[in-house]
Amino acid sequence: MDLVWEDMLEKQPIVSKMVMNSINKSRISHAYLFHGDKGTGKFELAQLLAMSIFCKKRTTLDPCHECSDCRRIKSGNHPDLHKIIPDGASIKKEQILHLQKEFTYTGLESNKKVYIISQAEKMTDNASNRLLKFLEEPSQQTTAILLTENSHAILSTIRSRCQMIAFKPLNPLQLEKSLQSEGLTEANARLMTAITNNVSEAIEKSKDTWFAQARKLVVQLIEMLQHNRGEVPIFVHTQWMPHFKERSQLQEGLDLLLIWFRDVVHCHLEETSAIVFANHQDKLEAASMFWSLGHATECLQFIMEAKRKLEQNVHPQLVLEQLTLQIQR
């Protein structure tokens, strides 16, 4: 599906309005710095802006998507649009020098030129200084678009020469919709939205066998806490801890446990539309019969306290053992 400004307005309303206004008034900046989390639409907006700049057939803000300029931008073959990505771990001086050389030539089809630098925070010091020199001598018809997840890692002198545009995290409904359009089921999209606000990370997790097993272990722990309390310490020692080896992994396990008990609370309050573990409705109803609303709310506090203890470097197995005892009380 061809991306249009209406799509970007839904995803990033404030940012899109700013850029659309610039196009409308023919006041496109010579340099932009798009900064925000991974998966928030920085590259999509950069490409849409480039298409709006180059498309000769557009009659509105939207590019036509059919002319040779639009088609070549989408296929990555436009002669006057240059994209730079890290070469290995960094963006090197030679890449910026090559860009400068390319820009000394007259545009092949017009005098307009656009370059997009992805992960701009990965420029080496030499590359940053070369880019700074380039930005200090802007051509009337050249537009630079720098993309970054960490604007503070970019030279302040570069930042001061760019129009800074902050991309906000996606709202949950928009994120769910984006994930479903990427092929995730409604239930999976909802769970991933509860775990992360990042489209790319959510898609990655949905395919991750480690994460799939983590979800299974959470459901198993819940059932054991209800039906086989005496075996919980053995389960924690032999199955839970070997899977959640790192503190960061254990935090993810606790996040899933937190979501489960929130769902139990939603069950009690009959807020079915808010339930995340929608695939386990029968198990959630059984859990809501086992844990009262008051106890489920207490469990949420116990889990939050366990997460804090992990951050304070308390021994992970002790944290889990104490937590399961609190939940059983």
Side-chain angles (χ1 to χ4, degrees):
M1 192 177 70
D2 292 328
L3 191 68
V4 293
W5 283 105
E6 193 177 331
D7 299 325
M8 286 310 305
L9 274 170
E10 199 175 327
K11 199 169 190 179
Q12 289 289 345
I14 298 168
V15 163
S16 299
K17 280 176 189 170
M18 287 169 66
V19 177
M20 289 165 74
N21 196 39
S22 299
I23 298 168
N24 245 335
K25 295 182 176 177
S26 298
R27 289 183 184 164
I28 294 167
S29 175
H30 81 280
Y32 293 97
L33 179 57
F34 292 175
H35 61 103
D37 291 344
K38 189 177 179 182
T40 48
K42 298 185 295 297
F43 180 77
E44 290 97 321
L45 195 141
Q47 181 143 305
L48 189 54
L49 172 57
M51 289 172 76
S52 296
I53 289 170
F54 284 115
C55 180
K56 297 184 186 79
K57 292 191 176 179
R58 72 178 176 87
T59 53
T60 62
L61 281 173
D62 287 317
C64 72
H65 288 281
E66 292 173 2
C67 69
S68 63
D69 283 298
C70 287
R71 287 201 312 273
R72 284 180 297 173
I73 287 171
K74 285 191 280 190
S75 65
N77 293 319
H78 198 287
D80 296 321
L81 172 63
H82 297 266
K83 296 173 188 172
I84 293 179
I85 60 171
D87 175 12
S90 62
I91 293 171
K92 298 172 175 61
K93 181 178 80 171
E94 291 72 26
Q95 291 176 271
I96 306 297
L97 286 170
H98 176 71
L99 179 73
Q100 284 179 280
K101 186 180 175 185
E102 288 289 322
F103 275 53
T104 59
Y105 306 132
T106 307
L108 295 180
E109 300 181 20
S110 72
N111 287 326
K112 294 174 182 173
K113 284 181 177 283
V114 174
Y115 59 98
I116 299 171
I117 302 180
S118 289
Q119 300 177 64
E121 75 281 0
K122 292 189 176 177
M123 285 187 287
T124 63
D125 290 344
N126 282 335
S128 295
N129 288 323
R130 294 304 310 186
L131 180 68
L132 181 59
K133 191 170 166 55
F134 199 26
L135 289 171
E136 284 171 341
E137 303 161 357
S139 156
Q140 187 90 32
Q141 306 219 41
T142 296
T143 303
I145 309 171
L146 281 62
L147 315 178
T148 183
E149 292 172 43
N150 181 10
S151 61
H152 299 295
I154 292 173
L155 285 180
S156 59
T157 43
I158 289 178
R159 294 202 307 267
S160 67
R161 282 163 177 77
C162 296
Q163 183 178 343
M164 301 274 289
I165 296 188
F167 282 62
K168 302 293 182 192
L170 301 185
N171 72 59
L173 288 177
Q174 178 59 41
L175 182 55
E176 262 189 62
K177 189 176 169 186
S178 296
L179 292 174
Q180 285 181 56
S181 73
E182 292 285 344
L184 271 71
T185 63
E186 187 180 343
N188 258 350
R190 182 169 289 190
L191 176 60
M192 293 306 157
T193 301
I195 290 290
T196 177
N197 195 256
N198 182 311
V199 173
S200 306
E201 189 182 330
I203 293 167
E204 212 172 283
K205 275 190 186 297
S206 72
K207 298 172 184 173
D208 183 12
T209 52
W210 179 90
F211 189 76
Q213 180 62 17
R215 289 160 64 173
K216 284 181 187 172
L217 286 171
V218 167
V219 176
Q220 285 173 17
L221 177 62
I222 290 294
E223 292 192 310
M224 202 160 279
L225 285 164
Q226 289 172 242
H227 307 300
N228 299 304
R229 290 181 168 203
E231 293 178 24
V232 169
I234 297 166
F235 177 82
V236 168
H237 181 68
T238 61
Q239 294 194 58
W240 185 280
M241 295 311 296
H243 188 72
F244 299 100
K245 292 173 188 170
E246 308 293 329
R247 281 178 190 269
S248 59
Q249 292 177 331
L250 196 46
Q251 288 284 12
E252 279 196 75
L254 292 181
D255 285 336
L256 287 167
L257 205 55
L258 198 63
I259 291 166
W260 180 274
F261 276 100
R262 278 186 192 141
D263 279 356
V264 173
V265 170
H266 291 313
C267 264
H268 277 291
L269 301 174
E270 296 183 359
E271 296 171 342
T272 51
S273 62
I275 288 171
V276 174
F277 278 98
N279 285 343
H280 295 289
Q281 191 71 42
D282 54 337
K283 289 183 172 69
L284 279 168
E285 283 171 12
S288 67
M289 297 289 286
F290 187 82
W291 285 285
S292 68
L293 176 59
H295 194 176
T297 307
E298 271 189 336
C299 289
L300 290 174
Q301 293 166 354
F302 296 147
I303 298 164
M304 291 301 294
E305 182 59 32
K307 284 175 68 62
R308 280 192 289 273
K309 284 177 182 172
L310 279 179
E311 285 170 9
Q312 293 160 4
N313 285 329
V314 178
H315 193 278
Q317 185 149 338
L318 288 177
V319 171
L320 252 293
E321 286 170 357
Q322 185 181 21
L323 175 61
T324 51
L325 285 171
Q326 288 173 319
I327 291 173
Q328 286 179 58
R329 268 209 319 246

